[in-house]
Amino acid sequence: MNRLSAGKIITNATCNKAMPSSKTIFQQNRKVIPGGVVSVNRAIAPEIAFVRGQGSHVWDADGKEYIDYHAAFAPFILGHNDPDVNAAVAKVIADGATLMGSGTNPWEGHCAALIVKHVPSVEKVMLTNTGSEATYHAIRIARAHTGRNGVIVMQGGYNGWHNDVALNVMTPTDVIGPRVSPGEYRKIPLSAGVPDSALDDVHVVNFNDLDSVRWVMDQYDIAALILEPILQNIGIVHPQAGYLQELRDLCNARGVVLIFDEVKTGFRHAMGGYQSICGIMPDLSVFGKAIANGYPIGAIGGRASFMDYFVHENPAKRVLIAGTYNAHPISCAGAIATMEKLASADFEHLYAMGEQLETELTTLFKEAGIAASIARQGSAFCVYFMDRTPVDWHDIAEHHDFALDERYRRALIEKGIYHFPLATKQGSISFAHSQTDIDETLSKTRDVLQSL
Ligand SMILES: Cc1ncc(COP(=O)(O)O)c(C=O)c1O
């Protein structure tokens, strides 16, 4: 199939030229990469090696084309290979704006200024390469500010791969037991090699459960509470009415730093992040993903009184942030171009595509007699194979049909609709998705539901 995109015809032949098959690529990579894939979260069956993306479509090494809703775990808000973002990146390269590693540059200032302009709680910004680095540094600021060590995270939330936060996401309930309230969950790190001493300072509570937050705050000296304001690593789990405000009030009362991890919500649901939608202002916010439409960057932002810990006059209070590649002109150019393009983009159109998918998928599931409900925030959605949208991880673990979810995803992939084939992973629509894409998705979903 040929496709005309951004003025360029991409054909299967182009993809196949001198390209080994997915199978061969996996076989070769396994010889030199543990498991064959450099990020273990990406190692998933069916084993597909993707080699090209354009707009809302991606192509694998065998030349098969897919409408993409995975969006590489969600950075692609403008679609793959956006011509304006690429042109901005190409320009800094052509201009010789390489990494200097000394002093500042105009791109990091421009990038920070755009974040300050759009995100209501942010007065100052630091830039990293990834979301994980950004959450790491946000927690460090909280500890420096409070002189305490404890951190509260959410069961079912993901805030990156480092020791303070990499635990208890899609934890089997036979491992952590039933819902705990008030109290904290048994800690199940996502990785071996995490020292017990690191886990001592982390406390995992249930999302949408204020009693557990109070309970943990009563027991321990807590520096920070970090959460995705919508849990988007187990689909789309919304905060219940009043929950975020109550968290804000509790943090104020106890002197705890409230960190919103807006790596997935920021610049996807609104230019001002989810905080601009819910009206609750965190002390610190963390961004990544959609901020640069696929170029590698993370950001920490907040009130100057917090951010200035990076330059605190007392060396004992000063928070270290360093990184050879922090604010690389390429990443900054990608972020600046993305934010500028998004600032004049029609988010209502994006949300309308989301609404259409939600409404029509709901009808399709109903017609097929399959119990399913669709949770959505704007352009991000998740089909839950249960009779309502969930309130927390335990709700999902106890009621969602995981096997059916994965069968559904694999059947869609067969038909050329790419969702990450792991149950509850978020679907993301981009500005590059067209009405044709949505119609084709719905028609193929109808076929899939008949064969499930
Ligand atoms: C909410 C959230 N926070 C933090 C991260 C970590 O970001 P990165 O993968 O860029 O380190 C992720 C990644 O998926 C995320 O979804």
Side-chain angles (χ1 to χ4, degrees):
M1 192 193 298
N2 288 345
R3 184 174 161 77
L4 187 63
S5 251
K8 191 170 172 188
I9 294 173
I10 296 172
T11 63
N12 287 352
T14 323
C15 290
N16 281 335
K17 208 171 168 191
M19 184 63 71
S21 66
S22 275
K23 194 170 168 206
T24 308
I25 293 171
F26 269 87
Q27 276 167 353
Q28 285 172 348
N29 288 4
R30 276 202 182 89
K31 293 182 193 150
V32 287
I33 294 170
V37 183
V38 297
S39 177
V40 292
N41 289 346
R42 288 188 223 148
I44 193 93
E47 293 190 328
I48 300 172
F50 289 101
V51 293
R52 185 183 287 275
Q54 187 68 54
S56 55
H57 286 226
V58 289
W59 284 259
D60 69 21
D62 303 299
K64 181 169 172 175
E65 181 176 355
Y66 307 78
I67 302 174
D68 181 30
Y69 291 98
H70 175 44
F73 288 111
F76 289 105
I77 180 85
L78 296 170
H80 292 267
N81 216 1
D82 181 82
D84 298 318
V85 179
N86 284 355
V89 168
K91 181 164 178 0
V92 292
I93 295 172
D95 290 349
T98 69
L99 191 65
M100 297 297 173
S102 179
T104 191
N105 65 50
W107 302 280
E108 62 190 41
H110 191 174
C111 188
L114 284 172
I115 299 172
V116 169
K117 175 178 171 190
H118 291 294
V119 184
S121 71
V122 172
E123 291 173 357
K124 285 191 177 173
V125 169
M126 279 290 196
L127 298 171
T128 60
N129 304 290
T130 64
S132 297
E133 292 164 69
T135 58
Y136 182 91
H137 287 102
I139 289 171
R140 261 199 180 162
I141 296 178
R143 286 178 167 149
H145 175 72
T146 58
R148 308 172 193 160
N149 288 334
V151 175
I152 299 177
V153 300
M154 296 292 151
Q155 174 65 52
Y158 180 69
N159 310 110
W161 45 252
H162 54 90
N163 290 354
D164 286 323
V165 291
L167 69 170
N168 294 58
V169 186
M170 299 173 74
T171 331
T173 44
D174 55 358
V175 175
I176 46 170
R179 187 182 278 114
V180 173
S181 179
E184 59 181 314
Y185 286 105
R186 208 179 125 209
K187 299 162 200 175
I188 311 293
L190 297 181
S191 172
V194 176
D196 292 344
S197 56
L199 290 177
D200 286 347
D201 289 323
V202 186
H203 306 281
V204 185
V205 301
N206 205 25
F207 190 65
N208 277 325
D209 173 8
L210 291 162
D211 286 342
S212 289
V213 174
R214 283 190 203 99
W215 187 90
V216 170
M217 286 182 175
D218 285 344
Q219 312 288 317
Y220 307 97
D221 286 333
I222 300 298
L225 187 156
I226 182 166
L227 82 163
E228 299 174 73
I230 302 172
L231 296 186
Q232 290 195 198
N233 280 279
I234 52 170
I236 302 285
V237 181
H238 278 101
Q240 289 175 329
Y243 177 64
L244 296 175
Q245 181 63 60
E246 293 274 1
L247 287 183
R248 178 65 279 177
D249 294 346
L250 270 173
C251 287
N252 285 347
R254 314 282 183 122
V256 171
V257 177
L258 179 63
I259 305 170
F260 275 5
D261 178 345
E262 296 237 37
V263 166
K264 273 196 153 176
T265 52
F267 297 90
R268 173 163 289 279
H269 304 324
M271 291 302 287
Y274 190 64
Q275 57 195 263
S276 69
I277 296 173
C278 69
I280 312 300
M281 294 304 123
D283 298 307
L284 292 170
S285 308
V286 176
F287 300 94
K289 301 209 188 236
I291 197 172
N293 201 53
Y295 285 95
I297 199 162
I300 316 140
R303 286 209 311 279
S305 55
F306 286 102
M307 294 301 293
D308 283 343
Y309 274 92
F310 287 120
V311 288
H312 203 287
E313 60 192 17
N314 176 357
K317 281 279 200 184
R318 198 176 302 148
V319 173
L320 171 67
I321 185 164
T324 303
Y325 300 110
N326 283 2
H328 193 294
I330 287 180
S331 308
C332 287
I336 293 163
T338 302
M339 284 187 276
E340 286 183 337
K341 194 162 177 180
L342 285 177
S344 58
D346 180 4
F347 274 85
E348 290 306 322
H349 167 69
L350 190 64
Y351 302 160
M353 282 194 284
E355 194 178 343
Q356 187 191 353
L357 263 188
E358 178 187 341
T359 311
E360 297 194 22
L361 284 176
T362 304
T363 307
L364 290 182
F365 281 105
K366 213 170 183 176
E367 283 168 5
I370 297 171
S373 50
I374 291 143
R376 181 180 67 88
Q377 177 70 39
S379 61
F381 65 98
C382 180
V383 177
Y384 291 103
F385 290 89
M386 51 195 277
D387 60 7
R388 68 210 143 69
T389 54
V391 295
D392 59 18
W393 167 244
H394 273 71
D395 207 3
I396 299 170
E398 285 159 16
H399 299 109
H400 177 65
D401 189 334
F402 285 74
L404 182 58
D405 188 348
E406 290 182 10
R407 270 211 320 280
Y408 167 71
R409 288 165 186 263
R410 295 209 165 90
L412 284 173
I413 290 170
E414 278 282 310
K415 292 204 174 292
I417 309 291
Y418 197 78
H419 280 278
F420 196 68
L422 179 66
T424 77
K425 285 295 137 188
Q426 170 195 321
S428 302
I429 306 167
S430 73
F431 282 100
H433 282 79
S434 64
Q435 190 58 51
T436 312
D437 291 330
I438 302 289
D439 293 345
E440 189 176 329
T441 302
L442 289 165
S443 136
K444 288 184 170 169
T445 304
R446 182 179 289 107
D447 297 345
V448 159
L449 293 186
Q450 270 156 22
S451 63
L452 268 189

